[in-house]
Each structure stands twice: as structure tokens, then as C-alpha cells.
Amino acid sequence: MSDSDGDVANVPAAQALVGQLESYGVEYVFGTCGHTNIALLDALSRSSIGFVIARHEQAAAHAADGYARASGRPGVLLTHVGPGMMNAVTGVATAALDSVPLVAISGDVPSYYHGRHPHQEVNLHADADQTAIFRPFVKRAWHVHRAQDLGRFAERAFWTATSGRPGAVLLNVPMDLFSRPVRPTARPLPVTASAPALPEEDARRIAGLLAEAERPLIYLGGGLRRGEGRAALLSIAERLDIPIAHSLMGKGAIPDDHPLLLGMPGFWGLELTNACTREADVVLALATRFAETDASSWEPEYTWNFPASRLIQIDVDPAEIGRNYPVEIGAVADVTLAVRAIDAALRELRPEPVVRPALRERIRAARGELFAGSRERGRSDAFPLRPERILNDLREALPADAVLVTDVGWNKNGVAQCYPLPPEGCFVTPGGASTMGFGPAAAVGVQIAEPGRVVVALVGDGGMSAQLPAVPMAVEQGLPVIFVVMNNRAHGTIADLQATSFGGTYGCEFRDPDGLAYSPDFAAYARACGADGHAVASPGELLPALRSAVSRRRPAVLDVPMVNEPVPTPGHWNIKDIYQGVFPDDDES
């Protein structure tokens, strides 16, 4: 549209922003409505972008997060002022801590009423604005003061969310600015954006250290998933027969049946995995922050031992280099480019592969015992079902390329430890924040990004109760998400922890006024929402219900009674010491 002198005519800033989002390839915006953002919703209604409405902002944030993880594109979240954007805090923080690109756009009070406490303003004492609520975890928060700056800040937001170490950002917009006129200006993102590569000299030095090591080990985080990076990593490992451990977020990056894969270290790690991490003389750590549970609370007698082990740490975020352990070589680089460079250097240095048959046999025996033991326990016909029986039936019913989206508790830790994920499969879980309630809504976002795949939200009854809005969201969007509720009528993992440490489960189990175990009827709730609902009443009913849900391609909730059984935890976590009055800093006082 043009005015009389041929210049581009003014349009509401909301309309200009929507055009900008379209130019960035945004296909979906997830969120809720409010009086501060309906101008933007009105502009979205006339665009190619779909709006995925949620009944709660945390559900919208988790769905945007799941979409981003599955699609590789930034998730876009729209919230309302005050309670709306505060409801989204947990979901946005979950994405931020897992390095997921997410652009949160929030409406705010009118710019000219700031500080006067207009309707729903949260600026009560500190004379700040609501962006302060998000600043501890987002990469950057922009508070827009002029409508003319909205497009420039939006471009910065998308670039910041997706470049370097991906993460969440906030674009905070006073509501009047959406309606103020601006002249649309093209603000394209870079057509190509280079990532930091590993210099050849460093690649040769790293290759040399790995080749000379007697007990090298590779530790993989969540920053390397598929394609050339995984192929190069496997080439390095197979050339020198180096065992590979992975963090919780790294599960699925290497096929679970690979002969060099040790699995997770730390709290949920096998004895062999923790022995290999302790005894390694050189460790190549790739895109990992050495999380507490994967590092046995950083106590060297249990998992990692730096020094005497020598650490090579590669991460795109310089803040992670040396955060928890001293490094010998710290490289700020894109992990895919880095492993390709190391692989090339190693091929020149060691054209003939190294073979360690004894190592492979130890891994085969330990991993084989783990999976066989889990399958054996999963054959139980006890009812309520044992958790590994639920995992067995999932393995039997799901196609190889199914996506498992977990919550927290047995569904996350048990799957990460003892569920052999097929090479075509995908595992999505909340790592950094370990957020209860992530799974149901995140699965909706994953299904939007992967419409042809079977997507299962494997969650506990606590997590399902926390995100009931995910079911009507799936129904409204016509998404065949399968919600499998591992229902032990408790916050089971914490109940077990309290029972072990204090001899009771007070405040951790759900009970009615008579003290009897209580649970909502999740299957009935599903049917009330327009989804399929299956209340599993015997051991033999789960597998047919799963197969039916897979074949029907409709949203479905399977309510599965489960015994409260602890996840095997052969490793160490300091929280158990704390309950016994043992504190690691006592020796330093």
C-alpha cells in the first residue's frame, strides 16, 4: 500500500510486526489472549501464521518449546501483561535452560501509564518494568519505548534467540505501541550465519591427545543430535575405540545399541559408566555443562575426576568452559564443526583404527544386563503395573520413529536409563529445569512440528494434573497426541525420597478426606474434552489401548495405574547426604 507521494503508507505497528514474522518463516504463534495483545491477534488473523490458543500461559510456553525442539525453528510465544506473562515464567525458563530458541512477546500496560498502577501492572515497589521478571534466565529482554523501535527489536530478538548458544528472549510491548502507526521497513535476518569453527591447530592438538590417551572417553551433551556431526563423532569414537557417555539431554544422539555407548553417568549411571568416567585419562566433553546429577554433585570419588583426568571442553557458550571443572583445552566452537575438524585431523594422524575388544565386551555385558533386567521386570503381571511393564508395552506398540516426550520422575529418568531408543526415535525431556508439567503441552508442540509421526507424552499423574490444558489444546488443533499417564497417585519420586530419608511420605501423596489414595479420572477428563479416554484396569489392557491409540490417530489419554517404585539409582547425589546432616563444606570451615 502506498500514499500519494509513493512512499510506503503507515500501518499499525502490530500489522508491521506480523509481516515481519511472516518474512522470518514463522508458521505458528502459541499463546493466550488479553486486552494488551488483541491488536496483534487481530493482525495475525489476516496472516498466514496460525495461532495456537492455550488455556494457560505455561502450557503455551511448553508447546512453543516443544515445537522449537522438534522443528529446529524458534518457538514464538504471545502473552498478556502481568499475570499472563508471569504464568509463562516456568515454561520460558525451561526452554532457556535447555538452550531452546524461543521468542516471547508480551503485551504491557500503556506506555503513558507506566508506574501509575494501571490495570494488572506489576510494578509495585521497585519502579521497574515487568521485563525484570524474565531477566535472570532470558538471553536478552527488550522493553519497547517507541513503536518505531518494535521492528528493530524484533529482528534483534530472533537473531539473539537463534545465534550462538540458542535460548529464550523477551520482547515486551506496551499495548498502545501495537496500535500506533509506523512505516513498515524490511528487516531481514542474515541469509547465512556462520558458527565459530575449531581452528585446525586446535583440532590437531585434540586429536593428538585422544590418540595418545590410554583410557580416553567422550562425554556428549544435548548440542549434537543428527547429521554430519553425529557421523563425525562416531568416526572419532570408532577409530580409537573410545567409549561414549551422554548427559540426560544427550540421549538419542547416539543409538542406544551402539557398542561403544555407556549411557548416562552420575546419579542414574551404571557402575561401569561411573568407573569409566573416574578412570579416564583424557575426556572430550562436547556441548555439556556437567549438570549436578550427571556429575554426582561434582564429588570426584563418584564420577568425574579432574584432575587427574585431563579435560578438553568444547562449547559454543564461553561461559560453560571451565564452569565446573578445570580444563586443559577449552574451545569456543560449534560442536558439529569441531568434531568434523577433529575427525579430519585424526584420520591423518591415525589412519589405522585402534581396537579395544575387552572394552567393547564390558560395555556389551553391562548394557545387556541393564536392558535385559528391565525387560524381565517389565514382564510382570502385577497390578497396578510396574513402571517397566509400561515401558515394555510402549516398545511393543510404538513405531520405531515415535517421539517420546517425557515429564519428570520415572517417565524421564527410567526412559533415559533403561529404555533402548530405536535409532529412528526421538527423546524430548526437560533437562536444565526438570519441570513437572512440561511433557503434556510440549508434546502438542512436537506434534505440530511433526504431524506425520506418533508423539507420546509419557507423564506422571502429577505432571498431567499440572497441565490439563494440553488435552483441549490437542483436541482443538486436531493433533493425535497420545498422553500416557503413569498414575501412582503421588509425586512418586519425591515420595520415595522422603520415605527413604525420613521414613514417611507426608505431603507427597494424593489422598481424599478419608485418607485413601486419590486420583482424578484422566480418561473421563479426556472424553469430556473430546479426546479418546482409556482407563487401564488390568495388565492386559495397556498394549491393546496403545495400539488402538496409535492406529486411530486421535488425541487420546491412557490412565495407567502404576505402583510407586523407585528408579534404580546406582550413582550418587549429594541431596541424600544433606538429609543425613552431611555437608561437603564442613571440611572447609
Side-chain angles (χ1 to χ4, degrees), residues 277-349:
T277 56
R278 285 194 308 272
E279 297 164 3
D281 54 355
V282 174
V283 174
L284 173 61
L286 302 168
T288 177
R289 60 191 178 90
F290 285 98
E292 183 190 5
T293 52
D294 294 325
S296 296
S297 297
W298 307 292
E299 296 181 16
E301 63 267 36
Y302 298 104
T303 301
W304 304 105
N305 186 26
F306 302 112
S309 300
R310 304 163 73 185
L311 176 58
I312 305 163
Q313 188 173 5
I314 302 175
D315 202 289
V316 74
D317 184 355
E320 294 298 345
I321 305 295
R323 179 193 293 275
N324 285 309
Y325 292 113
V327 299
E328 181 165 328
I329 299 178
V332 178
D334 176 86
V335 68
T336 294
L337 297 177
V339 293
R340 289 171 59 188
I342 296 168
D343 181 42
L346 197 56
R347 288 174 180 272
E348 292 184 7
L349 183 65

Side-chain angles (χ1 to χ4, degrees), residues 130-152:
Q130 65 183 13
T131 61
I133 298 168
F134 275 46
R135 289 189 189 278
F137 50 84
V138 295
K139 291 182 71 176
R140 178 77 187 270
W142 289 267
H143 180 81
V144 184
H145 292 280
R146 304 186 313 153
Q148 298 93 320
D149 293 330
L150 179 56
R152 179 166 60 89

Side-chain angles (χ1 to χ4, degrees), residues 76-418:
V76 182
L77 170 70
L78 178 62
T79 66
H80 170 55
V81 67
M85 68 96 70
M86 289 191 292
N87 279 342
V89 163
T90 300
V92 177
T94 299
L97 290 170
D98 285 349
S99 303
V100 176
L102 189 148
V103 177
I105 303 171
S106 180
D108 201 350
V109 299
S111 60
Y112 41 83
Y113 287 151
H114 176 74
R116 298 182 64 180
H117 293 181
H119 185 55
Q120 295 185 307
E121 184 180 33
V122 297
N123 173 26
L124 186 60
H125 299 299
D127 200 25
D129 57 63
Q130 65 183 13
T131 61
I133 298 168
F134 275 46
R135 289 189 189 278
F137 50 84
V138 295
K139 291 182 71 176
R140 178 77 187 270
W142 289 267
H143 180 81
V144 184
H145 292 280
R146 304 186 313 153
Q148 298 93 320
D149 293 330
L150 179 56
R152 179 166 60 89
F153 288 176
E155 183 273 331
R156 289 291 81 197
F158 274 82
W159 170 250
T160 302
T162 56
S163 60
R165 178 182 181 173
V169 299
L170 173 66
L171 187 62
N172 193 68
V173 188
M175 63 174 292
D176 58 298
L177 302 190
F178 281 133
S179 297
R180 290 181 183 266
V182 297
R183 295 200 173 191
T185 302
R187 300 186 184 275
L189 293 170
V191 176
T192 59
S194 61
L198 184 69
E200 290 186 12
E201 180 180 352
D202 291 339
R204 288 194 294 269
R205 184 181 173 199
I206 293 170
L209 284 177
L210 292 173
E212 294 167 5
E214 294 182 9
R215 298 176 304 281
L217 184 137
I218 295 171
Y219 179 45
L220 178 64
L224 188 152
R225 305 298 300 178
R226 295 284 190 268
E228 294 181 352
R230 185 170 80 167
L233 175 64
L234 288 175
S235 176
I236 294 169
E238 292 166 358
R239 182 163 298 276
L240 297 179
D241 251 17
I242 303 177
I244 304 170
H246 65 73
S247 70
L248 171 71
M249 298 297 293
K251 183 178 175 74
I254 303 300
D256 269 325
D257 60 359
H258 193 279
L260 290 170
L261 188 67
L262 292 164
M264 290 189 301
F267 187 48
W268 293 291
L270 295 177
E271 182 179 345
L272 172 63
T273 308
N274 285 321
C276 287
T277 56
R278 285 194 308 272
E279 297 164 3
D281 54 355
V282 174
V283 174
L284 173 61
L286 302 168
T288 177
R289 60 191 178 90
F290 285 98
E292 183 190 5
T293 52
D294 294 325
S296 296
S297 297
W298 307 292
E299 296 181 16
E301 63 267 36
Y302 298 104
T303 301
W304 304 105
N305 186 26
F306 302 112
S309 300
R310 304 163 73 185
L311 176 58
I312 305 163
Q313 188 173 5
I314 302 175
D315 202 289
V316 74
D317 184 355
E320 294 298 345
I321 305 295
R323 179 193 293 275
N324 285 309
Y325 292 113
V327 299
E328 181 165 328
I329 299 178
V332 178
D334 176 86
V335 68
T336 294
L337 297 177
V339 293
R340 289 171 59 188
I342 296 168
D343 181 42
L346 197 56
R347 288 174 180 272
E348 292 184 7
L349 183 65
R350 281 291 178 90
E352 295 299 322
V354 174
V355 180
R356 306 178 204 261
L359 170 67
R360 290 192 174 218
E361 176 55 30
R362 288 177 68 199
I363 295 173
R364 185 202 64 77
R367 296 277 283 177
E369 182 180 351
L370 169 71
F371 293 136
S374 180
R375 284 186 180 275
E376 183 59 34
R377 292 186 292 274
R379 293 190 178 98
S380 170
D381 279 335
F383 196 82
L385 294 178
R386 298 187 71 176
E388 283 158 307
R389 171 60 186 267
I390 298 173
L391 299 189
N392 265 11
D393 285 5
L394 282 168
R395 282 191 291 263
E396 184 71 22
L398 298 183
D401 68 345
V403 183
L404 275 178
V405 184
T406 72
D407 211 76
V408 295
W410 230 107
N411 49 85
K412 179 189 77 170
N413 306 328
V415 169
Q417 183 188 73
C418 60

Side-chain angles (χ1 to χ4, degrees), residues 494-506 508 575-581:
I494 306 304
D496 174 71
L497 187 62
Q498 190 191 78
T500 301
S501 302
F502 298 101
T505 58
Y506 181 78
C508 300
I575 61 168
K576 292 188 174 183
D577 291 344
I578 293 172
Y579 299 141
Q580 304 305 317

